[in-house]
Amino acid sequence: MVTATRLTSEQIDGLRGQIHGEVIQPGDARYDEARTLYNAMIDKRPALVARCAHAADAIAAVAFGREPGVD
């Protein structure tokens, strides 16, 4: 079973305010490129892609993913 995660603009803006890298979401011009994996047999469509610039960005992105309501 696949469930779609719906993130609010406040949640996404909150993550953008915490990291120096990019936060890319569906509808953005670079989304398809950012979500592509090296294994073309896998076709995932995440609610957003965080392109981390620093280790602190990765820590913030993982913490964001653990928040209630973010699956």
Side-chain angles (χ1 to χ4, degrees):
M1 182 170 111
V2 177
T3 58
T5 300
R6 303 232 183 242
L7 301 174
T8 66
S9 59
E10 291 82 17
Q11 288 173 305
I12 296 168
D13 289 343
L15 179 60
R16 280 192 173 114
Q18 293 179 25
I19 70 172
H20 292 91
E22 281 183 279
V23 175
I24 304 167
Q25 60 190 103
D28 290 347
R30 298 185 59 203
Y31 177 76
D32 282 327
E33 173 193 349
R35 71 175 188 84
T36 301
L37 300 174
Y38 292 107
N39 183 348
M41 292 176 50
I42 299 172
D43 186 23
K44 299 287 185 179
R45 296 185 178 275
L48 60 82
V49 176
R51 288 218 166 141
C52 302
H54 307 285
D57 288 358
I59 293 167
V62 169
F64 176 82
R66 288 183 174 165
E67 289 179 7
V70 178
D71 297 325

